[in-house]
Amino acid sequence: MNHEIDLSKYQIRTDLVLETIENQIENNGFEKTTYKENDIQVTQVTLDEKSAHMIDKKVGDYITIEFQDITDFHNRENVKTIVTKELQSLLKKANVKKEDRCLVIGLGNKKSTPDALGPCTIDHILVTNHLFLLDTPEDGFRQVCAISPGVMGETGIETSDIIYSVIQTTKPDFVIAIDALASQAISRVNKTIQMSNTGIHPGSGVGNNRKEISQETLGIPVIAIGVPTVVDAVTIVSDTIKYLHKFYAFQKDFINHPMRKMIYDGHINYLNKEVELNENDKKELFGIMGHFTEEETKTLINEVLTPIGYNLMITPKEIDFVIQHLSDIIGNGINQALHEKVTH
Amino acid sequence: MNHEIDLSKYQIRTDLVLETIENQIENNGFEKTTYKENDIQVTQVTLDEKSAHMIDKKVGDYITIEFQDITDFHNRENVKTIVTKELQSLLKKANVKKEDRCLVIGLGNKKSTPDALGPCTIDHILVTNHLFLLDTPEDGFRQVCAISPGVMGETGIETSDIIYSVIQTTKPDFVIAIDALASQAISRVNKTIQMSNTGIHPGSGVGNNRKEISQETLGIPVIAIGVPTVVDAVTIVSDTIKYLHKFYAFQKDFINHPMRKMIYDGHINYLNKEVELNENDKKELFGIMGHFTEEETKTLINEVLTPIGYNLMITPKEIDFVIQHLSDIIGNGINQALHEKVTH
Amino acid sequence: MNHEIDLSKYQIRTDLVLETIENQIENNGFEKTTYKENDIQVTQVTLDEKSAHMIDKKVGDYITIEFQDITDFHNRENVKTIVTKELQSLLKKANVKKEDRCLVIGLGNKKSTPDALGPCTIDHILVTNHLFLLDTPEDGFRQVCAISPGVMGETGIETSDIIYSVIQTTKPDFVIAIDALASQAISRVNKTIQMSNTGIHPGSGVGNNRKEISQETLGIPVIAIGVPTVVDAVTIVSDTIKYLHKFYAFQKDFINHPMRKMIYDGHINYLNKEVELNENDKKELFGIMGHFTEEETKTLINEVLTPIGYNLMITPKEIDFVIQHLSDIIGNGINQALHEKVTH
Amino acid sequence: MNHEIDLSKYQIRTDLVLETIENQIENNGFEKTTYKENDIQVTQVTLDEKSAHMIDKKVGDYITIEFQDITDFHNRENVKTIVTKELQSLLKKANVKKEDRCLVIGLGNKKSTPDALGPCTIDHILVTNHLFLLDTPEDGFRQVCAISPGVMGETGIETSDIIYSVIQTTKPDFVIAIDALASQAISRVNKTIQMSNTGIHPGSGVGNNRKEISQETLGIPVIAIGVPTVVDAVTIVSDTIKYLHKFYAFQKDFINHPMRKMIYDGHINYLNKEVELNENDKKELFGIMGHFTEEETKTLINEVLTPIGYNLMITPKEIDFVIQHLSDIIGNGINQALHEKVTH
């Protein structure tokens, strides 16, 4: 029996730079700084031309905010504070001035909960542009417009075409766009906010080469804010296989009697333990599959699930409550970053 | 005591041509035809330059569909049939061809029920444009796009600016726009659909001179479909005073003992009776106010209600159910008029 | 011509005690105290057996909170503070203890905006009862259940039957019920909160003699919180006629040239001026109708509008935003009154 | 290295009898009949005391309707027809008479899309009970009430307590309850309707021993209608591993060169091929894990995912549209089964 496997490339979909970087064996000189505040992990990555090219992402700054439970009021407030702070830092880096006009764009489909983050965030945005038409409002407020352009299935129109035309009409000085993303790891779904100054590709998930909305194409800063709200089944399976290796390694290490639970009570989080299975164990436990890389595993699972129609994009059962909280956090974070006078 | 009243002009707001015409003493040569089908009254009015100028409306065709109870399933189906038929006739008059591309625009604010007719109708529109990008769909379908541009309070952007830019981008061959209107008569609220080929003025109700979306400004047919969903308090009061005259006249005539009810059981619809109060009765019953014209009455009531903040725009309590039914009727009426293959 | 009018009684519908009292010529010994705080007018009325009988209301305490603009954030916070304070005072009067269990009931139809105040308020209620089943929560929280029983048109069941059976099952120590009301004055719609300890009659507006939910029938305190969100057309017309008298009287007084406006710029709020038309002026201006009492006017207008189907229940155009704010104010006011630990 | 694994029991959650039966090695004399109509698979299973005991389910009739694409209008109509027919047959078996009164109960949480099937179905139910209070309606209609009792997290009350009390008050002759379920197979999620006459256990999924609502406890027929809308991550992984075996077996068989794809184009549905891996292949490919039973695999994956918080309940991304269609299908299917006069 011949065990070579012809692994055709599984087109892995992730919108998160942190995930792309993690998959790289070497650090390749990315500029990366991290800090932790109130249990929230913030990672700043800057890609130059070389490093961006290497991982097929765009040149620019990427900020990843990782948090746990946003059903808790205080955690929500803490995340909101960091969203505001990091957004302000991106705006400053982009030389956005106090009087610059902003267009906020809520991408996605209001009628599909896991895709509704953008439109729901727009509902929280403090829109002021029309007030400036009548009068000069109180100091401390910026001119802000906001739109939810919908999705092509609803409008029949390329979303990027709508955005382009609205930008040409309203002539903002910078753009902030919010969208729901796909992740490559269960652990990040609904628990990560990514911000970058590298623009957006509306509808890019579908696989078409849509027009890019970015500083390069428009000449104005375009800041993207996204949260992964879905993963595919392939990811869930491949993550589990990864955890399975870790689980066995941990058990072997923990009780020195691999596979036999003794004092282990099932409540230890083994993920942050520094243990590894050796090659022999892998072979014995998992056969040939034990030697696959993560990418090979994903490719294989994709080949298994796709032809039978089970490579679903999925979302946790609680998605309605999550979207409600996340749109509040991001919407209010944007308001505070844009308007000096807004402080809560 | 001097009873001259300085009646400054009350800026009466109506979006219905039928109401404007009714207020004219003479018919002024309007071309007007009517028919009745299944208890639905249809009035077609064509304004030429002279007559349009006289009533300050735009040159073109106006179709008014008046109906009663749309909580009844069969009545809804009958109204839908007429909407389809009359819309087809407007499209034919505008030389719209089978292969012409349509943009349907839902004006108004989704979050405010009486103003949500446009966006709710869009939810029923069969959008096909994007399918033509991939493939040629089955014969009998037209290329249709649809957008709900929102209102300025939500977006901060002039609605007409958004529409202009989307039209420039999508380049449709004709436009259909749906909006909630204001009426000048209680009796028409939620019971009238007006269609015309004279274009739209988004946000015109607010009093600003917004940009017009019409054949004149865009060079393509722009068909407007509207339903009055609100009246102002002035209208309710002035309508009631009008009915009060009629009521007294009817009672006087009916029992020959004015003001004294005898056999009258309170259930007779006196509105369609051909009776009038004479000048003496008017004076005795209503004093000086009895001699005011309807316009003078409205002007006065406006002066009374406006400074104390009570000239509210109001809507019947059942508005949620009404908007649900009307958007279904109009949305499906449009689908049938646009796509040969859609028949129910 | 004989001008006697047979005024059959117009069954005036109001759910507000303040309105009933205002219509009384004499004060009849009601115990009534008022105070004003941050532009919010609070009136406390206590009806004993005699006074309650006289105006056909129930014995007990009625608190009326009148405010103006709740689109303003600070006004909302002020109203919320007073709702909390007055509700606490009603609970104290009813001897509700710290550990007593509460059932909050949201009356009305979620799907009809002007009737959705009750169910929308329930969405804001902090429900804790089930947490006590598992564990004793942190001190400072009370056991609270909440239901929205729906309306008979949705469920087919008498709402009071559902409430009775849920009360028998959950055995609360006291009940708080929230409902949308009807008013007899335009000026109070959406601008008044009434609280009382006299119980509720679910669905009583429809005219049926539904079962009462009250201390008398259940043996536990039942506090009702209501906001008038609708008026009928009769009220709008009769209010306007009242204002019209005042308007003329003000003009006559103001410029000493009755009916002739000179320096008057249309922006003076004449309602709080102490002026009256004399009988002669009334006759000259309004004829026989000028001598009608408010009740006679309402009766007449009702006779005019009812047979032709135009005595609509109506609500202001902005009802969606109003319900959103009011349910937030009342829901959070209740939370603060019920739970010591909730402070904002 | 010792490979024995102490597999503590993974508490597998499924609400579908068909899934429980499939996991049985022998058929154990279940009475089971199947038919196929318009690509819809219908399976009728009757459990007697012995067989019910064996699989820890209740005695009674279970009907499972399996379908594919309900985004297609015709498929929806076909499924609706079968729901009506099978529901009628269950009602007949339960001796439900023409004049018997029905209470329809929509279980679940309206605000959480994957759990909203019950309440959303209630929105489609033709409620008639209150009309019988006023008048005898047209022949061909049955007395029907409907409630959505909410979930304990919203109300603070045990859902079964609310249901019990409403049943005691309304005294229906039979009950139909609709709920969203959990499945043990990806392939069934949103693609299966289960109907049974064995009652319901509201909130049973949470693990508490809630009160049962059934013929045994209430003395009236209780028909349950459910659709699996969620699976847990364990199921997705274990299903994939099962498919992986099949996939390898198919490849080996197909090209006689195991693991080497040649003519295989990735679009063949290998699931219905009758192929199996031999024990040697299993060992070589998957090591020890290759010899696990499905139940052992699930137990293991549960042990891996639970301590790290990743055994999520998940739902497909399209859940909003699915719930919309399914509630329409089931609601209208119920209406047709209950009312002779309702035919579409």
Side-chain angles (χ1 to χ4, degrees):
Chain A
M1 191 167 165
N2 188 341
H3 303 299
E4 292 165 58
I5 296 179
D6 177 13
L7 290 172
S8 70
K9 196 79 179 168
Y10 161 53
Q11 190 67 4
I12 293 164
R13 185 188 168 195
T14 179
D15 298 308
L16 296 180
V17 154
L18 211 60
E19 295 184 345
T20 319
I21 287 174
E22 282 175 343
N23 294 335
Q24 299 297 109
I25 293 158
E26 300 159 62
N27 215 335
N28 282 311
F30 303 132
E31 194 183 310
K32 175 174 158 184
T33 62
T34 63
Y35 70 91
K36 198 157 195 169
E37 194 175 305
N38 291 315
D39 275 327
I40 302 162
Q41 175 78 33
V42 182
T43 309
Q44 294 158 318
V45 171
T46 302
L47 299 185
D48 60 12
E49 290 229 2
K50 194 183 140 210
S51 55
H53 180 76
M54 207 171 309
I55 62 171
D56 197 24
K57 288 278 167 189
K58 295 201 59 194
V59 170
D61 303 296
Y62 296 85
I63 292 158
T64 312
I65 303 169
E66 294 170 278
F67 43 88
Q68 290 301 316
D69 180 19
I70 54 161
T71 60
D72 179 80
F73 175 77
H74 296 292
N75 284 350
R76 285 205 297 278
E77 290 302 303
N78 291 335
V79 176
K80 204 181 289 179
T81 302
I82 288 189
V83 167
T84 303
K85 189 171 73 180
E86 292 298 333
L87 181 52
Q88 280 170 333
S89 118
L90 276 178
L91 293 177
K92 202 176 161 191
K93 210 172 235 168
N95 284 321
V96 167
K97 288 180 210 68
K98 217 182 101 178
E99 67 277 11
D100 282 354
R101 296 173 61 237
C102 179
L103 173 65
V104 186
I105 302 173
L107 297 164
N109 187 346
K110 179 109 198 196
K111 295 192 201 92
S112 177
T113 311
D115 196 23
L117 179 72
C120 288
T121 299
I122 292 299
D123 287 348
H124 293 274
I125 295 300
L126 183 58
V127 169
T128 56
N129 191 59
H130 54 309
L131 306 175
F132 282 77
L133 300 180
L134 303 169
D135 202 356
T136 309
E138 207 185 335
D139 212 45
F141 290 96
R142 182 193 294 277
Q143 270 175 279
V144 174
C145 300
I147 55 157
S148 297
V151 294
M152 205 162 82
E154 290 180 298
T155 62
I157 311 169
E158 285 270 12
T159 304
S160 55
D161 285 347
I162 297 181
I163 294 172
Y164 257 98
S165 65
V166 171
I167 286 177
Q168 274 162 3
T169 303
T170 57
K171 300 195 189 352
D173 297 306
F174 64 107
V175 166
I176 296 175
I178 304 101
D179 201 2
L181 309 176
S183 175
Q184 226 185 111
I186 315 176
S187 56
R188 289 231 176 67
V189 172
N190 297 331
K191 294 185 168 167
T192 301
I193 296 172
Q194 175 177 278
M195 295 197 270
S196 78
N197 52 18
T198 59
I200 52 168
H201 303 251
S204 62
V206 191
N208 301 16
N209 55 340
R210 305 290 159 80
K211 287 163 207 153
E212 180 180 294
I213 312 283
S214 71
Q215 175 120 30
E216 271 171 286
T217 60
L218 291 168
I220 55 172
V222 177
I223 289 172
I225 303 180
V227 176
T229 62
V230 294
V231 279
D232 58 5
V234 167
T235 292
I236 288 187
V237 179
S238 113
D239 276 5
T240 304
I241 288 170
K242 201 166 60 186
Y243 303 150
L244 190 58
H245 285 210
K246 199 87 180 177
F247 175 78
Y248 275 137
F250 163 70
Q251 287 209 325
K252 185 180 172 187
D253 181 69
F254 183 57
I255 55 172
N256 212 9
H257 280 87
M259 312 303 119
R260 194 186 302 275
K261 295 194 309 170
M262 284 169 61
I263 20 175
Y264 174 55
D265 72 346
H267 285 99
I268 293 172
N269 186 333
Y270 54 84
L271 272 195
N272 42 17
K273 307 291 171 192
E274 299 267 344
V275 287
E276 290 284 347
L277 284 184
N278 63 39
E279 292 305 300
N280 250 8
D281 289 348
K282 280 189 188 171
K283 175 149 198 222
E284 207 163 356
L285 286 162
F286 306 112
I288 288 172
M289 274 205 64
H291 294 295
F292 283 8
T293 63
E294 189 173 345
E295 197 168 334
E296 285 170 332
T297 304
K298 286 202 170 188
T299 305
L300 173 63
I301 298 167
N302 190 49
E303 283 183 46
V304 168
L305 291 180
T306 301
I308 57 176
Y310 292 160
N311 188 16
L312 305 169
M313 293 302 287
I314 50 202
T315 194
K317 187 182 189 297
E318 298 71 21
I319 186 67
D320 297 76
F321 308 111
V322 170
I323 291 294
Q324 198 182 321
H325 286 315
L326 283 173
S327 60
D328 174 65
I329 288 171
I330 297 173
N332 283 293
I334 291 174
N335 287 339
Q336 290 184 50
L338 292 185
H339 304 292
E340 271 179 29
K341 272 284 172 66
V342 177
T343 53
H344 68 277
Chain B
M1 192 168 163
N2 189 340
H3 303 297
E4 291 166 58
I5 297 177
D6 177 15
L7 291 170
S8 71
K9 197 78 180 167
Y10 161 53
Q11 190 67 2
I12 294 163
R13 185 188 169 195
T14 179
D15 298 309
L16 297 180
V17 155
L18 211 58
E19 295 183 346
T20 319
I21 287 176
E22 280 174 345
N23 293 335
Q24 298 298 107
I25 294 158
E26 302 158 63
N27 215 334
N28 284 311
F30 303 130
E31 195 182 309
K32 174 174 158 185
T33 61
T34 64
Y35 69 91
K36 197 155 195 168
E37 195 175 305
N38 291 316
D39 276 325
I40 301 161
Q41 176 77 33
V42 183
T43 308
Q44 294 158 320
V45 171
T46 302
L47 299 185
D48 59 14
E49 292 229 2
K50 195 184 137 206
S51 54
H53 180 75
M54 206 170 311
I55 61 170
D56 196 24
K57 289 278 167 187
K58 295 200 60 192
V59 170
D61 303 295
Y62 296 85
I63 291 158
T64 312
I65 302 169
E66 294 170 279
F67 43 86
Q68 290 302 316
D69 179 22
I70 55 161
T71 59
D72 179 81
F73 176 77
H74 296 293
N75 284 349
R76 284 205 296 279
E77 290 302 303
N78 291 335
V79 175
K80 204 182 288 180
T81 303
I82 289 189
V83 167
T84 304
K85 190 172 74 180
E86 292 297 332
L87 181 52
Q88 281 169 332
S89 118
L90 276 178
L91 293 175
K92 201 176 162 192
K93 211 171 235 169
N95 284 319
V96 167
K97 288 181 211 66
K98 218 181 102 177
E99 68 278 10
D100 282 353
R101 295 172 62 238
C102 181
L103 172 65
V104 186
I105 303 173
L107 298 164
N109 187 346
K110 180 109 198 195
K111 295 189 202 95
S112 176
T113 312
D115 196 24
L117 180 71
C120 288
T121 299
I122 292 299
D123 286 349
H124 294 274
I125 294 300
L126 183 58
V127 169
T128 56
N129 191 59
H130 54 308
L131 307 175
F132 283 77
L133 300 179
L134 305 168
D135 201 358
T136 308
E138 205 186 336
D139 211 43
F141 290 95
R142 181 194 295 276
Q143 271 176 278
V144 174
C145 299
I147 55 157
S148 298
V151 294
M152 205 162 81
E154 289 181 299
T155 61
I157 313 168
E158 286 269 11
T159 305
S160 55
D161 284 348
I162 297 180
I163 295 173
Y164 257 97
S165 65
V166 171
I167 286 177
Q168 273 163 5
T169 303
T170 57
K171 300 195 190 352
D173 297 304
F174 65 106
V175 166
I176 296 175
I178 304 101
D179 201 2
L181 308 177
S183 175
Q184 227 185 109
I186 316 175
S187 55
R188 288 230 176 68
V189 171
N190 297 333
K191 294 185 169 167
T192 301
I193 296 171
Q194 175 178 276
M195 294 198 271
S196 78
N197 52 19
T198 59
I200 52 168
H201 303 251
S204 61
V206 190
N208 302 14
N209 54 340
R210 307 288 160 79
K211 287 162 208 154
E212 180 180 294
I213 311 283
S214 70
Q215 175 119 31
E216 272 171 286
T217 60
L218 292 168
I220 56 172
V222 177
I223 289 172
I225 302 180
V227 176
T229 62
V230 292
V231 279
D232 57 7
V234 168
T235 292
I236 288 187
V237 180
S238 113
D239 276 6
T240 305
I241 288 170
K242 201 167 61 186
Y243 301 152
L244 190 58
H245 285 209
K246 200 85 180 178
F247 176 75
Y248 275 137
F250 164 68
Q251 285 209 329
K252 185 179 171 187
D253 181 68
F254 182 55
I255 55 172
N256 211 9
H257 280 87
M259 313 304 122
R260 193 188 304 273
K261 296 193 309 170
M262 284 168 61
I263 20 173
Y264 175 55
D265 72 345
H267 286 98
I268 293 171
N269 185 333
Y270 53 83
L271 272 194
N272 42 18
K273 305 293 170 190
E274 300 266 343
V275 286
E276 291 284 347
L277 284 184
N278 63 40
E279 291 305 300
N280 251 9
D281 289 348
K282 280 187 188 171
K283 174 146 200 226
E284 207 162 357
L285 287 162
F286 306 112
I288 288 172
M289 276 204 65
H291 294 296
F292 284 8
T293 64
E294 189 173 344
E295 197 169 334
E296 285 169 332
T297 304
K298 287 200 168 186
T299 305
L300 174 63
I301 298 167
N302 190 49
E303 283 182 45
V304 169
L305 293 179
T306 301
I308 57 176
Y310 293 160
N311 189 17
L312 308 167
M313 295 301 288
I314 50 202
T315 194
K317 186 180 191 297
E318 296 73 22
I319 186 68
D320 297 78
F321 309 109
V322 170
I323 291 293
Q324 198 182 321
H325 286 316
L326 284 173
S327 60
D328 174 65
I329 288 171
I330 296 173
N332 284 293
I334 291 174
N335 287 341
Q336 290 184 51
L338 293 185
H339 304 291
E340 268 178 30
K341 271 285 171 67
V342 177
T343 52
H344 69 279
Chain C
M1 192 168 167
N2 189 339
H3 302 298
E4 291 165 57
I5 297 179
D6 178 15
L7 291 169
S8 69
K9 196 77 181 168
Y10 161 53
Q11 191 66 3
I12 293 163
R13 186 189 169 194
T14 179
D15 298 308
L16 297 180
V17 155
L18 211 59
E19 295 183 345
T20 318
I21 286 176
E22 282 175 343
N23 293 335
Q24 297 299 106
I25 293 157
E26 301 158 61
N27 214 337
N28 283 310
F30 303 131
E31 197 182 308
K32 176 175 157 185
T33 60
T34 64
Y35 69 90
K36 198 156 195 169
E37 196 174 305
N38 290 317
D39 275 325
I40 301 163
Q41 175 78 34
V42 182
T43 309
Q44 293 158 321
V45 171
T46 302
L47 298 185
D48 59 13
E49 291 230 1
K50 197 185 136 206
S51 54
H53 180 76
M54 208 170 308
I55 61 169
D56 197 24
K57 288 278 166 188
K58 296 202 61 196
V59 171
D61 303 296
Y62 297 85
I63 290 157
T64 312
I65 302 167
E66 295 170 276
F67 43 87
Q68 290 302 317
D69 179 20
I70 54 163
T71 58
D72 179 81
F73 175 75
H74 296 292
N75 284 349
R76 284 205 297 277
E77 290 302 302
N78 291 335
V79 175
K80 204 182 287 180
T81 302
I82 289 189
V83 167
T84 302
K85 189 172 73 178
E86 292 297 332
L87 182 52
Q88 280 170 332
S89 120
L90 276 178
L91 293 176
K92 202 177 162 191
K93 211 172 236 169
N95 284 319
V96 167
K97 289 181 210 66
K98 217 182 102 178
E99 66 278 11
D100 282 353
R101 295 173 61 238
C102 180
L103 172 64
V104 186
I105 303 173
L107 298 164
N109 188 346
K110 180 110 197 194
K111 294 190 203 94
S112 175
T113 313
D115 197 23
L117 179 71
C120 288
T121 299
I122 292 298
D123 287 350
H124 294 274
I125 295 300
L126 182 59
V127 169
T128 57
N129 190 60
H130 55 306
L131 307 176
F132 283 77
L133 300 179
L134 303 169
D135 200 357
T136 310
E138 205 186 334
D139 211 46
F141 289 96
R142 182 194 295 278
Q143 271 177 278
V144 175
C145 300
I147 55 156
S148 298
V151 294
M152 205 163 80
E154 288 180 301
T155 62
I157 311 169
E158 285 270 11
T159 304
S160 55
D161 285 348
I162 297 180
I163 294 172
Y164 258 98
S165 65
V166 171
I167 286 177
Q168 274 163 4
T169 302
T170 57
K171 299 196 192 348
D173 298 304
F174 65 106
V175 166
I176 296 174
I178 303 100
D179 201 1
L181 308 177
S183 175
Q184 228 185 109
I186 317 175
S187 55
R188 289 231 176 68
V189 171
N190 296 333
K191 293 185 170 167
T192 301
I193 296 173
Q194 175 177 276
M195 294 198 270
S196 78
N197 51 19
T198 59
I200 53 168
H201 303 250
S204 61
V206 190
N208 300 14
N209 54 340
R210 306 287 160 80
K211 286 162 209 154
E212 180 181 294
I213 312 283
S214 71
Q215 175 119 29
E216 272 171 286
T217 60
L218 292 168
I220 54 171
V222 178
I223 289 171
I225 302 179
V227 176
T229 61
V230 293
V231 280
D232 56 6
V234 167
T235 292
I236 288 186
V237 178
S238 114
D239 276 7
T240 305
I241 289 171
K242 202 167 59 188
Y243 302 151
L244 190 57
H245 285 211
K246 200 85 180 177
F247 176 76
Y248 275 136
F250 163 69
Q251 287 210 326
K252 185 180 169 185
D253 181 69
F254 183 56
I255 55 171
N256 211 11
H257 281 86
M259 313 303 120
R260 194 186 303 274
K261 296 193 309 169
M262 286 167 59
I263 20 175
Y264 173 57
D265 72 345
H267 285 99
I268 294 172
N269 185 335
Y270 54 83
L271 272 194
N272 41 18
K273 307 293 171 192
E274 300 267 341
V275 287
E276 289 287 346
L277 283 184
N278 64 38
E279 292 305 300
N280 250 10
D281 288 350
K282 280 188 187 171
K283 177 151 196 216
E284 207 162 358
L285 286 161
F286 305 113
I288 288 172
M289 275 203 65
H291 295 294
F292 284 7
T293 65
E294 188 173 346
E295 198 168 332
E296 285 171 331
T297 304
K298 287 201 169 185
T299 305
L300 174 64
I301 299 167
N302 191 49
E303 283 183 47
V304 169
L305 292 179
T306 301
I308 57 175
Y310 291 160
N311 188 17
L312 306 168
M313 294 302 287
I314 49 200
T315 194
K317 186 180 191 298
E318 296 73 20
I319 187 68
D320 297 77
F321 308 110
V322 170
I323 292 293
Q324 198 182 319
H325 287 316
L326 284 172
S327 60
D328 174 65
I329 288 171
I330 296 173
N332 283 294
I334 291 174
N335 287 340
Q336 291 185 49
L338 292 184
H339 304 291
E340 270 178 29
K341 272 284 173 63
V342 177
T343 52
H344 68 277
Chain D
M1 191 166 166
N2 188 340
H3 303 297
E4 291 165 59
I5 297 178
D6 177 14
L7 290 171
S8 69
K9 196 79 179 167
Y10 161 52
Q11 191 66 5
I12 293 162
R13 184 186 170 198
T14 178
D15 299 307
L16 297 180
V17 155
L18 211 59
E19 294 183 346
T20 319
I21 287 176
E22 281 175 344
N23 293 335
Q24 298 298 108
I25 294 157
E26 300 160 63
N27 213 333
N28 283 310
F30 304 129
E31 195 183 308
K32 175 175 158 184
T33 61
T34 63
Y35 70 92
K36 199 157 195 169
E37 195 176 304
N38 290 317
D39 274 325
I40 301 162
Q41 177 78 33
V42 182
T43 310
Q44 294 158 318
V45 170
T46 302
L47 299 184
D48 60 12
E49 292 228 1
K50 195 184 137 205
S51 54
H53 180 77
M54 207 171 309
I55 62 170
D56 195 26
K57 289 278 167 189
K58 296 201 58 194
V59 170
D61 303 296
Y62 297 84
I63 292 157
T64 310
I65 302 168
E66 295 170 278
F67 43 88
Q68 291 302 317
D69 178 21
I70 55 162
T71 58
D72 179 81
F73 175 78
H74 297 292
N75 284 350
R76 284 204 297 279
E77 290 302 302
N78 291 336
V79 175
K80 203 181 290 179
T81 301
I82 287 187
V83 167
T84 303
K85 189 171 75 180
E86 292 297 334
L87 180 52
Q88 280 169 333
S89 119
L90 277 178
L91 293 176
K92 201 176 163 190
K93 212 173 235 169
N95 284 320
V96 167
K97 289 180 208 69
K98 215 182 102 178
E99 66 279 8
D100 283 353
R101 295 173 61 238
C102 180
L103 173 65
V104 187
I105 302 174
L107 297 163
N109 187 346
K110 180 108 197 195
K111 295 191 203 93
S112 176
T113 312
D115 196 23
L117 179 72
C120 288
T121 300
I122 293 298
D123 287 348
H124 293 275
I125 294 301
L126 183 59
V127 169
T128 57
N129 191 59
H130 55 307
L131 307 176
F132 283 77
L133 300 179
L134 304 168
D135 201 359
T136 310
E138 205 185 337
D139 212 45
F141 290 95
R142 183 193 295 275
Q143 272 176 277
V144 175
C145 299
I147 55 157
S148 298
V151 296
M152 205 163 80
E154 290 180 298
T155 63
I157 311 169
E158 285 270 12
T159 304
S160 55
D161 285 347
I162 297 180
I163 295 172
Y164 257 97
S165 65
V166 170
I167 286 176
Q168 273 162 4
T169 302
T170 56
K171 300 195 188 350
D173 298 305
F174 65 106
V175 166
I176 296 174
I178 304 101
D179 201 2
L181 309 176
S183 176
Q184 226 187 113
I186 316 176
S187 56
R188 288 232 175 67
V189 172
N190 297 332
K191 295 186 169 167
T192 301
I193 295 172
Q194 175 178 276
M195 294 197 270
S196 78
N197 51 18
T198 60
I200 52 168
H201 303 251
S204 61
V206 190
N208 301 12
N209 55 340
R210 306 290 159 79
K211 287 163 208 153
E212 181 180 293
I213 311 281
S214 71
Q215 174 118 31
E216 272 170 285
T217 61
L218 292 168
I220 54 172
V222 178
I223 290 172
I225 302 180
V227 176
T229 62
V230 293
V231 279
D232 58 5
V234 167
T235 293
I236 289 188
V237 179
S238 114
D239 276 6
T240 305
I241 289 171
K242 201 167 59 185
Y243 302 151
L244 190 58
H245 286 209
K246 199 86 182 178
F247 175 79
Y248 276 137
F250 163 70
Q251 288 210 326
K252 184 179 173 189
D253 181 70
F254 183 56
I255 56 173
N256 213 8
H257 280 86
M259 312 305 120
R260 194 187 303 274
K261 297 193 306 168
M262 284 169 60
I263 20 174
Y264 174 55
D265 71 347
H267 285 98
I268 293 172
N269 185 333
Y270 54 83
L271 273 194
N272 42 17
K273 307 290 171 193
E274 301 266 342
V275 286
E276 290 284 347
L277 285 183
N278 63 39
E279 292 305 300
N280 251 8
D281 288 348
K282 280 187 189 173
K283 180 155 192 215
E284 207 163 0
L285 285 162
F286 306 112
I288 288 173
M289 274 205 65
H291 294 295
F292 284 5
T293 64
E294 188 172 346
E295 197 167 336
E296 286 169 331
T297 304
K298 286 201 168 186
T299 304
L300 174 64
I301 298 167
N302 190 49
E303 283 183 45
V304 169
L305 292 181
T306 301
I308 56 174
Y310 294 161
N311 188 16
L312 307 168
M313 295 300 289
I314 48 200
T315 194
K317 187 180 190 300
E318 297 73 22
I319 187 66
D320 297 77
F321 309 110
V322 170
I323 291 292
Q324 196 182 322
H325 287 316
L326 283 172
S327 60
D328 174 65
I329 287 171
I330 296 173
N332 283 294
I334 291 174
N335 287 339
Q336 291 184 50
L338 292 185
H339 304 291
E340 270 179 28
K341 272 284 172 65
V342 177
T343 52
H344 68 278

